[in-house]
Coordinates of all heavy atoms in Angstrom, one line a residue:
V1 N 98.4 102.8 108.7 CA 98.5 101.4 109.1 C 97.5 100.7 108.2 O 96.4 101.1 108.0 CB 98.1 101.2 110.6 CG1 98.0 99.7 110.9 CG2 99.0 101.9 111.5
A2 N 98.0 99.6 107.6 CA 97.1 98.8 106.7 C 97.3 97.3 107.1 O 98.4 96.9 107.5 CB 97.5 99.0 105.3
R3 N 96.3 96.5 106.9 CA 96.4 95.1 107.1 C 97.0 94.5 105.8 O 96.6 94.9 104.7 CB 95.1 94.5 107.4 CG 95.2 93.2 108.2 CD 93.9 92.8 108.8 NE 93.9 91.4 108.5 CZ 92.9 90.8 108.0 NH1 91.7 91.4 107.9 NH2 92.9 89.5 107.8
T4 N 97.8 93.5 106.0 CA 98.4 92.9 104.8 C 98.2 91.4 104.9 O 97.9 90.8 105.9 CB 100.0 93.1 104.8 OG1 100.5 92.5 105.9 CG2 100.3 94.6 104.7
D5 N 98.4 90.7 103.7 CA 98.3 89.3 103.6 C 99.5 88.7 104.4 O 100.7 89.2 104.1 CB 98.4 88.9 102.1 CG 98.3 87.4 101.9 OD1 99.2 86.8 102.4 OD2 97.4 87.0 101.2
A6 N 99.3 87.8 105.3 CA 100.4 87.3 106.1 C 101.5 86.6 105.3 O 102.6 86.6 105.7 CB 99.8 86.4 107.2
E7 N 101.1 85.9 104.2 CA 102.1 85.2 103.5 C 102.9 86.0 102.5 O 104.1 85.9 102.4 CB 101.4 84.0 102.7 CG 100.9 82.9 103.6 CD 100.2 81.8 102.8 OE1 100.5 81.7 101.6 OE2 99.4 81.1 103.4
A8 N 102.2 86.9 101.8 CA 102.9 87.7 100.7 C 103.2 89.1 101.2 O 103.9 89.8 100.5 CB 102.0 87.7 99.5
A9 N 102.7 89.5 102.3 CA 102.9 90.9 102.8 C 102.5 91.9 101.8 O 103.1 93.0 101.7 CB 104.4 91.1 103.3
T10 N 101.4 91.7 101.1 CA 100.9 92.6 100.1 C 99.6 93.3 100.8 O 99.0 92.6 101.6 CB 100.5 92.0 98.8 OG1 99.6 90.9 99.1 CG2 101.7 91.4 98.1
L11 N 99.3 94.5 100.3 CA 98.1 95.1 100.9 C 96.9 94.4 100.4 O 96.9 93.9 99.3 CB 98.1 96.6 100.4 CG 99.1 97.5 101.0 CD1 98.9 98.9 100.3 CD2 98.9 97.7 102.5
L12 N 95.9 94.3 101.3 CA 94.7 93.6 100.9 C 94.0 94.5 99.9 O 93.9 95.7 100.0 CB 93.8 93.4 102.1 CG 94.4 92.6 103.2 CD1 93.5 92.5 104.4 CD2 94.7 91.2 102.7
D13 N 93.4 93.9 98.9 CA 92.7 94.6 97.9 C 91.4 94.1 97.5 O 90.8 94.3 96.5 CB 93.6 94.7 96.6 CG 93.9 93.4 96.0 OD1 93.5 92.4 96.6 OD2 94.5 93.4 94.9
S14 N 90.8 93.4 98.5 CA 89.4 92.9 98.3 C 88.7 93.0 99.6 O 89.3 93.2 100.7 CB 89.4 91.4 97.8 OG 89.6 90.6 98.9
N15 N 87.4 92.8 99.6 CA 86.6 92.9 100.8 C 86.0 91.5 101.2 O 85.0 91.4 101.8 CB 85.5 94.0 100.7 CG 84.5 93.6 99.6 OD1 84.6 92.6 98.9 ND2 83.5 94.4 99.5
I16 N 86.6 90.5 100.7 CA 86.1 89.1 100.9 C 86.1 88.7 102.4 O 85.2 88.0 102.8 CB 86.9 88.1 100.0 CG1 86.2 86.8 99.9 CG2 88.3 87.9 100.6 CD1 85.2 86.8 98.9
D17 N 87.0 89.2 103.2 CA 87.1 88.8 104.6 C 86.2 89.7 105.4 O 86.5 90.9 105.6 CB 88.5 88.8 105.0 CG 88.8 88.2 106.4 OD1 87.8 88.1 107.2 OD2 89.9 87.9 106.7
G18 N 85.2 89.2 106.0 CA 84.3 90.0 106.8 C 84.9 90.7 108.0 O 84.4 91.7 108.5
R19 N 86.1 90.1 108.5 CA 86.8 90.8 109.6 C 87.3 92.1 109.2 O 87.6 92.9 110.1 CB 87.9 89.8 110.1 CG 87.4 88.5 110.7 CD 88.5 87.6 111.0 NE 89.1 87.2 109.7 CZ 90.2 86.5 109.6 NH1 90.8 86.0 110.7 NH2 90.7 86.1 108.5
D20 N 87.5 92.3 107.9 CA 88.0 93.6 107.4 C 86.9 94.7 107.3 O 87.2 95.9 107.2 CB 88.7 93.4 106.1 CG 90.0 92.6 106.2 OD1 90.6 92.6 107.2 OD2 90.3 91.9 105.2
H21 N 85.7 94.2 107.1 CA 84.6 95.2 106.8 C 84.5 96.4 107.7 O 84.3 97.5 107.2 CB 83.3 94.4 106.8 CG 83.2 93.4 105.6 ND1 82.1 92.7 105.4 CD2 84.0 93.1 104.6 CE1 82.3 91.9 104.4 NE2 83.5 92.2 103.9
P22 N 84.6 96.3 109.0 CA 84.5 97.5 109.9 C 85.5 98.5 109.6 O 85.3 99.7 110.0 CB 84.6 96.9 111.3 CG 84.3 95.5 111.2 CD 84.8 95.1 109.9
F23 N 86.6 98.2 108.9 CA 87.7 99.2 108.7 C 87.8 99.7 107.3 O 88.6 100.5 107.0 CB 89.0 98.5 109.1 CG 88.9 97.9 110.5 CD1 88.7 96.5 110.6 CD2 88.9 98.6 111.6 CE1 88.6 95.9 111.9 CE2 88.7 98.1 112.9 CZ 88.6 96.7 113.0
I24 N 86.9 99.2 106.4 CA 86.9 99.7 105.0 C 86.3 101.0 104.9 O 85.2 101.2 105.4 CB 86.2 98.7 104.1 CG1 87.0 97.3 104.1 CG2 86.1 99.2 102.7 CD1 86.3 96.2 103.4
L25 N 86.9 102.0 104.3 CA 86.4 103.3 104.1 C 85.6 103.4 102.8 O 85.9 102.7 101.8 CB 87.5 104.3 104.0 CG 88.4 104.5 105.2 CD1 89.5 105.4 105.0 CD2 87.6 105.0 106.4
G26 N 84.5 104.1 102.9 CA 83.6 104.3 101.7 C 83.3 105.8 101.5 O 83.4 106.6 102.4
V27 N 83.0 106.1 100.3 CA 82.6 107.5 99.9 C 81.2 107.8 100.4 O 80.3 107.0 100.2 CB 82.7 107.6 98.4 CG1 82.1 109.0 97.9 CG2 84.0 107.3 97.8
T28 N 81.1 108.9 101.0 CA 79.7 109.3 101.5 C 79.2 110.5 100.8 O 78.1 111.1 101.2 CB 79.7 109.5 103.0 OG1 80.6 110.6 103.3 CG2 80.2 108.3 103.8
T29 N 79.9 111.0 99.8 CA 79.5 112.2 99.0 C 78.8 111.6 97.8 O 79.4 111.0 96.9 CB 80.7 113.0 98.6 OG1 81.4 113.5 99.8 CG2 80.2 114.2 97.8
P30 N 77.5 111.9 97.7 CA 76.7 111.4 96.5 C 77.3 111.9 95.2 O 77.7 113.1 95.1 CB 75.3 111.9 96.7 CG 75.2 112.2 98.2 CD 76.6 112.6 98.6
G31 N 77.3 111.1 94.2 CA 77.7 111.5 92.8 C 79.2 111.5 92.6 O 79.6 111.9 91.5
M32 N 80.0 111.1 93.6 CA 81.5 111.1 93.4 C 81.8 110.0 92.4 O 81.3 108.9 92.5 CB 82.2 110.8 94.7 CG 82.2 112.0 95.7 SD 83.3 113.3 95.2 CE 84.9 112.5 95.2
P33 N 82.8 110.3 91.5 CA 83.3 109.3 90.6 C 84.2 108.4 91.5 O 84.6 108.8 92.6 CB 84.1 110.0 89.6 CG 84.5 111.3 90.3 CD 83.4 111.6 91.2
T34 N 84.5 107.2 91.0 CA 85.4 106.3 91.8 C 86.8 107.0 91.7 O 87.1 107.8 90.8 CB 85.5 104.9 91.2 OG1 86.1 105.0 89.9 CG2 84.1 104.2 91.2
L35 N 87.7 106.7 92.6 CA 89.0 107.2 92.6 C 89.7 106.7 91.3 O 90.4 107.5 90.7 CB 89.8 106.8 93.9 CG 91.3 107.1 93.9 CD1 91.4 108.7 93.8 CD2 91.9 106.6 95.2
Q36 N 89.5 105.5 91.0 CA 90.1 104.9 89.8 C 89.7 105.7 88.5 O 90.6 106.1 87.7 CB 89.7 103.5 89.6 CG 90.4 102.8 88.4 CD 90.0 101.3 88.3 OE1 89.2 100.8 89.1 NE2 90.5 100.6 87.4
D37 N 88.4 106.1 88.4 CA 88.0 106.9 87.3 C 88.6 108.3 87.3 O 89.0 108.8 86.3 CB 86.5 107.0 87.3 CG 85.8 105.7 86.8 OD1 86.5 104.8 86.3 OD2 84.6 105.6 87.0
A38 N 88.6 108.9 88.5 CA 89.2 110.3 88.6 C 90.7 110.3 88.2 O 91.1 111.2 87.5 CB 89.0 110.8 90.0
V39 N 91.4 109.3 88.7 CA 92.9 109.2 88.3 C 93.0 108.9 86.8 O 93.9 109.5 86.2 CB 93.6 108.2 89.2 CG1 95.0 107.9 88.7 CG2 93.6 108.6 90.7
A40 N 92.2 108.1 86.3 CA 92.3 107.8 84.9 C 92.1 109.0 84.0 O 92.7 109.1 82.9 CB 91.3 106.7 84.5
K41 N 91.2 109.9 84.4 CA 91.0 111.1 83.7 C 91.9 112.3 84.0 O 91.8 113.3 83.4 CB 89.5 111.6 84.0 CG 88.5 110.6 83.4 CD 87.1 111.1 83.8 CE 86.1 110.0 83.3 NZ 84.7 110.3 83.8
A42 N 92.8 112.0 84.9 CA 93.7 113.1 85.4 C 94.8 113.4 84.3 O 95.2 112.5 83.6 CB 94.5 112.7 86.6
P43 N 95.1 114.7 84.1 CA 96.2 115.0 83.1 C 97.5 114.4 83.6 O 97.7 114.1 84.7 CB 96.3 116.6 83.3 CG 95.0 117.0 83.9 CD 94.5 115.8 84.8
A44 N 98.3 114.2 82.6 CA 99.6 113.5 82.9 C 100.4 114.2 84.0 O 100.4 115.4 84.1 CB 100.5 113.5 81.6
G45 N 100.9 113.4 85.0 CA 101.6 113.9 86.1 C 100.8 114.5 87.2 O 101.3 115.1 88.1
Q46 N 99.5 114.4 87.1 CA 98.6 115.1 88.1 C 97.9 114.0 89.0 O 97.0 114.4 89.8 CB 97.5 115.9 87.4 CG 98.1 117.0 86.5 CD 98.1 118.3 87.2 OE1 97.3 118.6 88.0 NE2 99.1 119.1 86.9
A47 N 98.2 112.8 88.9 CA 97.5 111.7 89.7 C 97.6 112.0 91.2 O 96.5 111.8 91.8 CB 98.1 110.3 89.3
N48 N 98.7 112.4 91.7 CA 98.8 112.7 93.2 C 97.9 113.8 93.6 O 97.2 113.7 94.6 CB 100.2 112.9 93.6 CG 101.0 111.7 93.6 OD1 100.5 110.6 93.7 ND2 102.3 111.8 93.6
Q49 N 97.8 114.9 92.8 CA 97.0 116.0 93.1 C 95.5 115.6 93.0 O 94.7 116.0 93.9 CB 97.2 117.2 92.1 CG 98.5 118.0 92.4 CD 98.6 119.1 91.4 OE1 99.0 118.8 90.3 NE2 98.4 120.3 91.9
V50 N 95.2 114.8 92.0 CA 93.8 114.4 91.8 C 93.4 113.5 93.0 O 92.3 113.6 93.5 CB 93.6 113.7 90.4 CG1 92.2 113.0 90.4 CG2 93.7 114.7 89.3
T51 N 94.3 112.6 93.4 CA 94.0 111.7 94.5 C 93.7 112.5 95.8 O 92.8 112.2 96.5 CB 95.1 110.7 94.7 OG1 95.2 109.9 93.5 CG2 94.9 109.8 95.9
T52 N 94.6 113.5 96.0 CA 94.4 114.3 97.2 C 93.1 115.1 97.2 O 92.4 115.1 98.2 CB 95.6 115.3 97.3 OG1 96.8 114.5 97.4 CG2 95.5 116.2 98.6
E53 N 92.8 115.7 96.1 CA 91.5 116.4 96.0 C 90.3 115.5 96.1 O 89.3 115.8 96.8 CB 91.5 117.2 94.7 CG 90.4 118.2 94.6 CD 90.4 119.3 95.7 OE1 91.4 119.7 96.1 OE2 89.2 119.7 96.1
W54 N 90.4 114.4 95.5 CA 89.3 113.4 95.5 C 89.1 113.0 97.0 O 87.9 112.9 97.4 CB 89.6 112.2 94.6 CG 88.5 111.2 94.6 CD1 87.5 111.1 93.7 CD2 88.4 110.1 95.5 NE1 86.7 110.0 94.0 CE2 87.2 109.4 95.1 CE3 89.1 109.6 96.6 CZ2 86.8 108.2 95.8 CZ3 88.6 108.5 97.3 CH2 87.5 107.8 96.8
T55 N 90.1 112.7 97.7 CA 90.0 112.2 99.1 C 89.3 113.3 99.9 O 88.5 113.0 100.8 CB 91.4 111.9 99.6 OG1 92.0 110.9 98.8 CG2 91.3 111.4 101.1
K56 N 89.7 114.6 99.7 CA 89.1 115.7 100.5 C 87.6 115.7 100.2 O 86.8 116.0 101.1 CB 89.7 117.0 100.1 CG 91.1 117.2 100.6 CD 91.7 118.5 100.2 CE 93.1 118.7 100.5 NZ 93.7 119.9 100.0
Q57 N 87.2 115.6 98.9 CA 85.8 115.7 98.5 C 84.9 114.5 98.9 O 83.7 114.6 99.0 CB 85.7 116.0 97.1 CG 86.2 117.3 96.7 CD 86.2 117.5 95.1 OE1 85.7 116.7 94.4 NE2 86.8 118.6 94.7
A58 N 85.5 113.3 99.0 CA 84.8 112.1 99.1 C 84.2 111.9 100.5 O 83.2 111.1 100.6 CB 85.7 110.9 98.8
N59 N 84.7 112.6 101.5 CA 84.2 112.4 102.8 C 84.2 110.9 103.2 O 83.1 110.3 103.5 CB 82.8 113.0 103.0 CG 82.4 113.2 104.4 OD1 83.2 113.3 105.3 ND2 81.1 113.2 104.7
L60 N 85.3 110.3 103.2 CA 85.5 108.9 103.5 C 85.1 108.6 104.9 O 85.5 109.3 105.9 CB 86.9 108.4 103.2 CG 87.4 108.6 101.8 CD1 88.8 108.2 101.7 CD2 86.5 107.7 100.8
M61 N 84.4 107.5 105.1 CA 84.0 107.0 106.5 C 83.9 105.5 106.4 O 83.6 104.9 105.4 CB 82.6 107.5 106.9 CG 82.5 109.0 107.1 SD 80.8 109.3 107.7 CE 80.7 111.1 107.5
T62 N 84.0 104.9 107.6 CA 83.6 103.5 107.7 C 82.1 103.4 107.8 O 81.4 104.4 108.0 CB 84.2 102.9 109.0 OG1 83.6 103.5 110.2 CG2 85.7 103.0 109.1
F63 N 81.6 102.2 107.7 CA 80.1 102.0 107.7 C 79.6 102.5 109.1 O 78.6 103.2 109.2 CB 79.7 100.6 107.5 CG 78.3 100.4 107.4 CD1 77.6 100.7 106.3 CD2 77.6 99.9 108.5 CE1 76.2 100.5 106.2 CE2 76.2 99.7 108.5 CZ 75.5 100.0 107.3
G64 N 80.4 102.1 110.2 CA 80.0 102.5 111.5 C 79.9 104.0 111.7 O 79.0 104.5 112.4
E65 N 80.9 104.7 111.2 CA 81.0 106.2 111.2 C 79.8 106.7 110.5 O 79.2 107.7 110.9 CB 82.3 106.7 110.7 CG 83.5 106.4 111.5 CD 84.8 106.6 110.8 OE1 84.8 106.7 109.6 OE2 85.8 106.8 111.6
A66 N 79.4 106.2 109.3 CA 78.3 106.6 108.6 C 77.0 106.4 109.3 O 76.1 107.3 109.2 CB 78.3 106.0 107.2
V67 N 76.9 105.3 110.0 CA 75.7 105.1 110.8 C 75.5 106.2 111.9 O 74.4 106.8 112.0 CB 75.7 103.7 111.4 CG1 74.6 103.5 112.5 CG2 75.5 102.6 110.4
L68 N 76.6 106.4 112.6 CA 76.5 107.5 113.6 C 76.3 108.8 113.1 O 75.5 109.6 113.6 CB 77.8 107.5 114.4 CG 78.1 106.2 115.3 CD1 79.5 106.2 115.9 CD2 77.0 106.1 116.4
A69 N 76.8 109.2 111.9 CA 76.6 110.5 111.3 C 75.1 110.6 110.9 O 74.5 111.6 111.0 CB 77.5 110.6 110.1
T70 N 74.6 109.5 110.4 CA 73.2 109.5 109.9 C 72.2 109.7 111.1 O 71.3 110.4 111.1 CB 72.8 108.2 109.2 OG1 73.7 108.1 108.0 CG2 71.4 108.1 108.8
I71 N 72.6 109.0 112.2 CA 71.8 109.2 113.5 C 71.8 110.7 113.9 O 70.8 111.3 114.2 CB 72.3 108.3 114.6 CG1 72.0 106.9 114.3 CG2 71.7 108.7 115.9 CD1 72.7 105.9 115.2
Q72 N 73.0 111.3 113.9 CA 73.2 112.7 114.3 C 72.4 113.6 113.4 O 71.9 114.7 113.8 CB 74.6 113.1 114.3 CG 75.3 112.6 115.6 CD 74.6 113.0 116.8 OE1 74.4 114.2 117.0 NE2 74.3 112.1 117.7
R73 N 72.4 113.3 112.1 CA 71.6 114.2 111.1 C 70.1 114.0 111.2 O 69.4 114.9 110.6 CB 72.1 114.0 109.7 CG 73.5 114.5 109.3 CD 73.7 114.5 107.9 NE 73.4 113.2 107.2 CZ 74.3 112.2 107.1 NH1 75.5 112.3 107.4 NH2 73.9 111.1 106.5
S74 N 69.7 113.0 111.8 CA 68.2 112.7 111.8 C 67.5 113.8 112.6 O 68.1 114.5 113.4 CB 67.9 111.3 112.4 OG 68.0 111.4 113.8
S75 N 66.2 113.9 112.3 CA 65.4 114.9 113.0 C 64.8 114.4 114.3 O 63.9 115.0 114.9 CB 64.3 115.3 112.0 OG 63.5 114.2 111.7
K76 N 65.2 113.2 114.7 CA 64.7 112.6 116.0 C 65.1 113.5 117.2 O 66.1 114.2 117.1 CB 65.3 111.2 116.2 CG 65.1 110.3 115.1 CD 63.7 109.7 115.2 CE 63.6 108.6 114.1 NZ 62.2 108.2 114.0
P77 N 64.4 113.5 118.3 CA 64.8 114.2 119.5 C 66.1 113.7 120.0 O 66.5 112.5 119.8 CB 63.6 113.9 120.5 CG 62.5 113.4 119.6 CD 63.1 112.8 118.4
A78 N 66.8 114.5 120.8 CA 68.1 114.2 121.3 C 68.1 112.9 122.1 O 69.0 112.1 122.0 CB 68.6 115.3 122.1
Y79 N 67.1 112.6 122.9 CA 67.1 111.4 123.7 C 67.0 110.2 122.8 O 67.6 109.1 123.1 CB 66.0 111.4 124.8 CG 64.6 111.1 124.3 CD1 64.1 109.8 124.3 CD2 63.8 112.1 123.7 CE1 62.8 109.5 123.8 CE2 62.5 111.9 123.3 CZ 62.0 110.6 123.3 OH 60.8 110.3 122.8
Q80 N 66.2 110.2 121.7 CA 66.1 109.1 120.8 C 67.4 108.9 120.1 O 67.8 107.7 119.8 CB 65.0 109.3 119.8 CG 63.6 109.1 120.4 CD 62.5 109.2 119.4 OE1 62.6 109.9 118.4 NE2 61.5 108.4 119.6
K81 N 68.1 110.0 119.7 CA 69.4 109.8 119.1 C 70.4 109.1 120.0 O 71.1 108.2 119.6 CB 70.0 111.2 118.7 CG 69.3 111.9 117.5 CD 69.9 113.2 117.2 CE 69.2 113.9 116.2 NZ 69.8 115.2 115.8
R82 N 70.4 109.5 121.3 CA 71.3 108.9 122.2 C 71.0 107.4 122.4 O 71.9 106.5 122.4 CB 71.2 109.5 123.6 CG 72.0 110.8 123.7 CD 72.1 111.3 125.2 NE 70.8 111.5 125.8 CZ 70.0 112.6 125.7 NH1 70.5 113.6 124.9 NH2 68.9 112.7 126.3
Q83 N 69.7 107.0 122.4 CA 69.3 105.6 122.5 C 69.7 104.9 121.2 O 70.2 103.7 121.3 CB 67.7 105.5 122.6 CG 67.2 105.9 123.9 CD 65.7 105.9 123.9 OE1 65.0 106.0 122.9 NE2 65.1 105.9 125.1
M84 N 69.6 105.5 120.1 CA 70.0 104.8 118.8 C 71.5 104.6 118.8 O 72.0 103.5 118.4 CB 69.5 105.6 117.6 CG 68.0 105.7 117.5 SD 67.5 106.9 116.3 CE 68.0 106.2 114.7
E85 N 72.3 105.6 119.2 CA 73.7 105.5 119.3 C 74.1 104.4 120.3 O 75.0 103.6 120.0 CB 74.3 106.8 119.7 CG 74.3 107.9 118.7 CD 74.8 109.2 119.1 OE1 75.1 109.4 120.4 OE2 75.0 110.1 118.3
Q86 N 73.5 104.4 121.4 CA 73.8 103.4 122.4 C 73.5 102.0 121.9 O 74.3 101.0 122.1 CB 73.1 103.6 123.7 CG 73.6 104.8 124.5 CD 72.7 105.3 125.6 OE1 71.6 104.7 125.8 NE2 73.1 106.2 126.4
R87 N 72.4 101.8 121.2 CA 72.0 100.5 120.7 C 73.1 100.1 119.6 O 73.5 98.9 119.6 CB 70.6 100.6 120.0 CG 69.9 99.3 120.2 CD 68.4 99.4 119.7 NE 67.7 100.6 120.3 CZ 67.0 101.4 119.6 NH1 66.8 101.2 118.3 NH2 66.4 102.4 120.2
W88 N 73.5 101.1 118.8 CA 74.5 100.8 117.7 C 75.8 100.4 118.4 O 76.4 99.4 118.0 CB 74.6 102.0 116.8 CG 75.8 101.8 115.8 CD1 76.9 102.5 115.8 CD2 75.8 100.9 114.7 NE1 77.7 102.0 114.8 CE2 77.1 101.1 114.1 CE3 74.9 99.9 114.2 CZ2 77.5 100.3 113.0 CZ3 75.3 99.2 113.1 CH2 76.6 99.4 112.5
M89 N 76.3 101.1 119.3 CA 77.5 100.8 120.0 C 77.5 99.5 120.8 O 78.5 98.8 120.8 CB 78.0 102.0 120.9 CG 78.3 103.3 120.1 SD 79.4 103.1 118.7 CE 80.9 102.7 119.5
A90 N 76.3 99.2 121.3 CA 76.2 97.9 122.1 C 76.3 96.7 121.2 O 76.6 95.6 121.6 CB 74.9 97.9 122.8
S91 N 76.1 96.9 119.9 CA 76.2 95.8 118.9 C 77.7 95.5 118.6 O 77.9 94.6 117.9 CB 75.4 96.1 117.6 OG 76.2 97.1 116.9
N92 N 78.6 96.3 119.2 CA 80.0 96.1 118.9 C 80.3 96.1 117.4 O 80.8 95.1 116.9 CB 80.5 94.8 119.6 CG 82.0 94.9 119.9 OD1 82.6 95.9 119.7 ND2 82.5 93.8 120.4
P93 N 80.0 97.3 116.8 CA 80.1 97.3 115.3 C 81.5 97.0 114.7 O 81.5 96.6 113.6 CB 79.7 98.8 115.0 CG 79.9 99.5 116.3 CD 79.7 98.5 117.4
N94 N 82.5 97.2 115.5 CA 83.9 96.9 114.9 C 84.2 95.4 114.8 O 85.2 95.0 114.5 CB 85.0 97.6 115.7 CG 85.0 99.0 115.4 OD1 84.5 99.5 114.4 ND2 85.6 99.8 116.3
T95 N 83.2 94.6 115.2 CA 83.3 93.1 115.0 C 82.4 92.5 114.0 O 82.4 91.3 113.8 CB 83.1 92.4 116.4 OG1 81.7 92.6 116.8 CG2 84.0 92.9 117.5
L96 N 81.6 93.4 113.4 CA 80.5 92.9 112.5 C 81.0 93.0 111.0 O 81.6 93.9 110.6 CB 79.3 93.8 112.6 CG 78.7 93.8 114.0 CD1 77.5 94.8 114.0 CD2 78.2 92.5 114.5
S97 N 80.6 92.0 110.2 CA 80.7 92.1 108.8 C 79.8 93.1 108.3 O 78.9 93.6 109.0 CB 80.4 90.7 108.1 OG 79.0 90.5 108.2
N98 N 80.0 93.5 107.0 CA 79.1 94.5 106.4 C 77.6 94.1 106.5 O 76.7 94.8 106.8 CB 79.5 94.9 105.0 CG 78.7 96.1 104.5 OD1 77.7 95.8 103.7 ND2 79.0 97.3 104.9
A99 N 77.4 92.8 106.1 CA 76.0 92.3 106.1 C 75.4 92.3 107.5 O 74.2 92.8 107.7 CB 76.0 90.9 105.6
Q100 N 76.2 92.0 108.5 CA 75.7 92.0 109.9 C 75.4 93.4 110.3 O 74.4 93.7 111.0 CB 76.7 91.3 110.8 CG 76.9 89.9 110.6 CD 78.1 89.3 111.3 OE1 79.1 90.0 111.4 NE2 78.0 88.1 111.9
A101 N 76.4 94.3 110.0 CA 76.2 95.7 110.4 C 75.0 96.4 109.7 O 74.3 97.1 110.4 CB 77.5 96.5 110.0
R102 N 74.7 96.0 108.5 CA 73.6 96.6 107.8 C 72.3 96.1 108.4 O 71.3 96.9 108.6 CB 73.6 96.2 106.3 CG 74.7 96.9 105.5 CD 74.9 96.4 104.1 NE 73.8 96.7 103.3 CZ 73.7 97.8 102.6 NH1 74.6 98.7 102.6 NH2 72.6 98.0 101.8
R103 N 72.2 94.9 108.9 CA 71.1 94.4 109.6 C 70.9 95.1 110.9 O 69.7 95.4 111.3 CB 71.2 92.9 109.8 CG 70.8 92.0 108.6 CD 70.7 90.6 109.0 NE 71.9 89.9 109.4 CZ 72.8 89.4 108.7 NH1 72.7 89.4 107.4 NH2 73.9 88.8 109.2
M104 N 72.0 95.4 111.6 CA 71.9 96.1 112.9 C 71.5 97.6 112.7 O 70.7 98.1 113.5 CB 73.2 96.1 113.6 CG 73.6 94.7 114.2 SD 72.4 94.1 115.4 CE 72.4 95.4 116.6
A105 N 71.9 98.2 111.6 CA 71.6 99.6 111.4 C 70.2 99.8 111.1 O 69.6 100.7 111.4 CB 72.5 100.1 110.3

């Protein structure tokens, strides 16, 4: 499922609209090349394979998912992790722009 432009019915290809921010996936694997660079370097006829492999390695997440994963990986005691998760979820992260979400995180 993808959101489209209502007039042209084309896939959205920018992050200008803050309402889209909670649903944009980002790479969480450090050092990953961009998908565009990986496909550009792919041997002829291998773009689909490169895309599939890149997607597996990139560990794509929304910003909200990345916040929760970071909380879980932290060395804080379990009760503090729960408090942090509850605070994050109480901010209703699926309604926040990236700038607002970054301030909350």
Side-chain angles (χ1 to χ4, degrees):
V1 175
R3 203 167 135 224
T4 61
D5 180 300
E7 291 181 24
T10 56
L11 289 177
L12 298 176
D13 61 357
S14 77
N15 63 357
I16 195 82
D17 189 339
R19 294 173 297 177
D20 294 328
H21 292 179
F23 310 103
I24 295 173
L25 296 175
V27 173
T28 62
T29 302
M32 284 289 297
T34 65
L35 176 57
Q36 184 177 2
D37 287 346
V39 170
K41 293 176 184 174
Q46 302 261 328
N48 285 342
Q49 282 180 289
V50 168
T51 299
T52 300
E53 189 59 33
W54 181 92
T55 301
K56 288 178 188 174
Q57 293 176 4
N59 195 27
L60 299 174
M61 291 185 197
T62 64
F63 185 81
E65 291 167 340
V67 169
L68 292 172
T70 300
I71 291 169
Q72 282 305 307
R73 283 193 314 267
S74 76
S75 60
K76 304 277 185 194
Y79 78 93
Q80 283 184 328
K81 290 181 184 183
R82 278 192 304 277
Q83 289 174 338
M84 293 167 72
E85 287 175 350
Q86 289 170 352
R87 216 174 309 135
W88 173 249
M89 296 309 292
S91 74
N92 204 3
N94 285 341
T95 64
L96 303 175
S97 70
N98 185 262
Q100 293 167 323
R102 291 170 69 87
R103 281 193 295 273
M104 288 302 300

